[in-house]
Amino acid sequence: MLTSSILGGRAVLQSMAGGARMPAGDCGVDVARTVQQALLALGMQLPQLDFDDPLDDDTQRTIAQYRVSRDLPGGQIIDGYLIRRLDLELSFLEGACSAELADILPNDRHLMRLDPYLAAVTARRLDLPHFDTGMLEKLRRDMELSNRLCLRLSLDLGSKIAQWFAEDIAEPKIFSDFVKVDGPANGVFLDISKSFAPYRSFIVTHNQSNFALEKLLEIAGRSRPDILSHRPPDFSWYEIKPMSASGIKDSLDKMVKLLAIYLPLPYRPGRRYNPTRRIEIDTFFAKTGERITVFLEVERTAPGLIFWALCLEGDVIEYFNRFKIVAGLLQILLALCLLLPVEGVAAGIAAEAATVIRLIAAAAGLTLVVLHRQQ
């Protein structure tokens, strides 16, 4: 039984999970598009994403890479093995707590790597003893090779924390990177104010010679991207979202809306801007001596879609061995709330996020220690 929001509730996918072959025609195309969405939600790349040809070479290569990484037989095909595994991982990221997951999670390094924080929280809910220690041992080889660990801002942390991190930290960092990598800023709309007023002005200013004002205002009042470029010959838009199942689903829904909205205008999903993969945030120290550098890992995994994850580097193994996964991440998020310089509305959002973090820790019976910034 498929249970994820992307794959569940679809009769054709349920049939395929049970062993039926992939259907032909439009139904098969729809299945392929859904698999594209699932692969993106799990962090796979589709840099040439094409909704008109969802089984293009790019998608088939990505399917093959995914199958090999999960030890699935079958090469590039979409079948029950692929559908069931995608659903397991998506359901895990959406917070599933099932008997099946209790059996699989303690030995599945792929699930642990997808979201170590959520894996630790899920293990607590499933009453799996000594899970943090076992997970760190299983991930030790990966972390020793890179001395880093990347995490998604799980749904379990709540919307306040997601909003704060996205609007106060991730998006401003990526906006600055866009101007640095793909500048100049002239002819570029950056959704810094989260208001339709600057966007309406941008759309009207750059298109009024070709379209009636009334039509432009109607277009500008519907939905807006995070970045819009009007620098001939570059007419492109980008949407910025966290690398999470919900973030990627939201971004694909937004893509469909923007493709329809911009039909009369020249703007298309951007392919020119390739974000700096590593964008530094800050470095923190525990009183016990561990050093943790916090940074964003940013990728344009499909045209117009930019995703970020929160990554940690430094004394990662020692830090999480001492504080465990849940408390360790909450301490880092709290340090970002309290120590990064913000003003005005952003400061209020950061203060609310700090309160939520403390409440999550208290509900889990955890005592958080204070981290300090690099001097």
Side-chain angles (χ1 to χ4, degrees):
M1 180 71 175
L2 304 179
T3 59
S4 66
S5 63
I6 293 176
L7 301 177
R10 305 279 298 280
V12 63
L13 295 174
Q14 297 286 0
S15 297
M16 289 183 65
R21 290 190 175 187
M22 181 171 168
D26 290 345
C27 189
V29 170
D30 188 50
V31 166
R33 288 192 181 118
T34 305
V35 167
Q36 284 181 329
Q37 183 176 343
L39 290 167
L40 285 170
L42 296 174
M44 304 298 290
Q45 293 197 10
L46 291 170
Q48 305 302 322
L49 178 67
D50 186 350
F51 278 118
D52 295 325
D53 184 14
L55 276 177
D56 61 359
D57 291 343
D58 191 36
T59 301
Q60 291 188 50
R61 278 193 299 269
T62 302
I63 290 172
Q65 290 168 4
Y66 178 84
R67 296 187 77 113
V68 168
S69 70
R70 270 62 171 184
D71 296 320
L72 300 178
Q76 301 174 345
I77 65 172
I78 298 175
D79 62 2
Y81 289 108
L82 178 68
I83 297 296
R84 289 193 298 273
R85 180 66 200 192
L86 290 170
D87 187 70
L88 172 70
E89 295 188 13
L90 291 168
S91 297
F92 162 69
L93 291 175
E94 291 171 356
C97 283
S98 63
E100 179 189 19
L101 198 58
D103 291 335
I104 294 173
L105 184 57
N107 299 301
D108 196 313
R109 290 168 61 246
H110 296 294
L111 290 178
M112 296 173 189
R113 278 203 303 260
L114 275 175
D115 192 335
Y117 174 83
L118 182 58
V121 169
T122 303
R124 291 168 68 96
R125 291 172 178 161
L126 293 170
D127 197 24
L128 301 177
H130 314 299
F131 180 83
D132 274 25
T133 303
M135 176 167 64
L136 288 171
E137 278 301 313
K138 287 182 174 61
L139 298 182
R140 179 181 290 272
R141 179 176 175 82
D142 296 340
M143 288 191 289
E144 284 178 343
L145 290 173
S146 64
N147 208 25
R148 55 182 274 178
L149 185 67
C150 290
L151 308 109
R152 299 170 180 233
L153 285 188
S154 307
L155 288 172
D156 191 78
L157 289 167
S159 59
K160 282 288 183 188
I161 293 177
Q163 179 192 12
W164 154 70
F165 196 93
E167 295 185 4
D168 282 13
I169 299 177
E171 290 178 9
K173 291 281 187 183
I174 295 170
F175 289 155
S176 296
D177 183 69
F178 179 87
V179 173
K180 177 181 177 181
V181 171
D182 204 57
N186 292 335
V188 174
F189 165 78
L190 304 174
D191 193 19
I192 296 171
S193 68
K194 304 303 173 187
S195 166
F196 269 102
Y199 176 63
R200 281 195 298 268
S201 176
F202 183 90
I203 289 290
V204 170
T205 298
H206 290 285
N207 295 278
Q208 59 186 343
S209 61
N210 297 318
F211 296 90
L213 178 61
E214 183 179 351
K215 177 63 177 177
L216 291 174
L217 290 176
E218 187 270 329
I219 290 173
R222 293 166 67 186
S223 189
R224 64 186 188 273
D226 290 309
I227 299 173
L228 186 61
S229 172
H230 190 109
R231 297 171 297 175
D234 178 39
F235 301 95
S236 58
W237 58 261
Y238 299 88
E239 188 67 13
I240 302 168
K241 285 288 188 288
M243 177 60 75
S244 66
S246 60
I248 290 168
K249 185 176 185 303
D250 289 346
S251 71
L252 290 171
D253 290 344
K254 186 78 166 284
M255 172 184 268
V256 171
K257 289 180 182 178
L258 290 173
L259 287 172
I261 289 169
Y262 287 146
L263 273 178
L265 300 180
Y267 309 117
R268 299 295 178 263
R271 297 172 184 263
R272 186 168 112 169
Y273 170 50
N274 290 305
T276 301
R277 185 173 176 84
R278 176 193 174 108
I279 300 178
E280 298 279 339
I281 297 177
D282 214 328
T283 296
F284 299 107
F285 294 85
K287 288 183 178 180
T288 44
E290 293 85 4
R291 175 188 61 83
I292 298 292
T293 295
V294 186
F295 63 97
L296 295 176
E297 186 168 274
V298 188
E299 295 180 283
R300 179 175 61 77
T301 59
L305 303 182
I306 298 168
F307 299 113
W308 54 265
L310 172 65
C311 293
L312 314 172
E313 185 178 73
D315 302 319
V316 175
I317 295 172
E318 297 83 353
Y319 177 80
F320 283 115
N321 269 328
R322 183 181 300 280
F323 298 111
K324 306 307 179 189
I325 295 290
V326 176
L329 177 59
L330 291 176
Q331 287 168 182
I332 289 168
L333 291 175
L334 187 60
L336 290 169
C337 284
L338 300 177
L339 300 177
L340 287 188
V342 290
E343 299 177 353
V345 174
I349 295 173
E352 290 179 7
T355 299
V356 172
I357 291 166
R358 293 189 179 101
L359 290 173
I360 292 173
L366 301 173
T367 300
L368 303 183
V369 304
V370 177
L371 303 182
H372 301 278
R373 287 183 76 186
Q374 184 179 28
Q375 299 299 318

